[in-house]
Amino acid sequence: MRHLAKPYGTQVMAWAPLAQGQFGIFENETLLKIAARHGKTVAQVALRYLIEEGIIVIPKSVHPERMQENLVNDGFDLTESERLEISALDKGHPAFADFNNPDLARFLLGYDAKFNPENKN
């Protein structure tokens, strides 16, 4: 998706950066080990990875302690090795929608201009 958005000057945003807790993300051995090395939670490691990849993250939670945890996500950087370990977890397909579909990407990138006449960008 990022390579499709780049020519439009659009930055990618993770709509569900923690996969809504699905797919065993919080029990993933790789993420658990990296989190333990840094004294962080799996959620903090996952969010840090996305931030370091230049992806906008807006995690959702209804739990105040998790909201605070999501906000306190500085003071550590992932090593290149850790980033590669996390990258290797990529399943090659989106969890919720096929955002690698060029037609969907073009639709989303032009959505505001098409449906908001005040925005001509």
Side-chain angles (χ1 to χ4, degrees), residues 17-35:
L18 300 173
Q20 298 176 338
Q22 298 179 46
F23 315 108
I25 185 171
F26 297 116
E27 292 83 34
N28 181 280
E29 287 299 318
T30 299
L31 296 175
L32 285 165
K33 288 177 187 175
I34 294 170

Side-chain angles (χ1 to χ4, degrees), residues 53-121:
E53 287 290 305
I55 297 172
I56 298 168
V57 296
I58 303 175
K60 174 193 157 291
S61 181
V62 296
H63 305 283
E65 64 278 2
R66 290 187 193 149
M67 290 178 196
Q68 181 65 28
E69 176 184 303
N70 292 340
L71 288 172
V72 181
N73 197 9
D74 55 359
F76 80 106
D77 293 309
L78 299 170
T79 66
E80 184 61 29
S81 174
E82 290 169 335
R83 290 169 53 121
L84 290 171
E85 287 180 75
I86 295 170
S87 292
L89 299 174
D90 188 349
K91 302 286 186 202
H93 57 83
F96 303 105
D98 187 0
F99 293 110
N100 289 312
N101 177 331
D103 293 331
L104 177 59
R106 283 188 204 87
F107 170 78
L108 292 172
L109 291 167
Y111 182 85
D112 192 47
K114 183 175 181 180
F115 295 103
N116 183 0
E118 295 177 15
N119 186 355
K120 302 292 183 195
N121 295 337

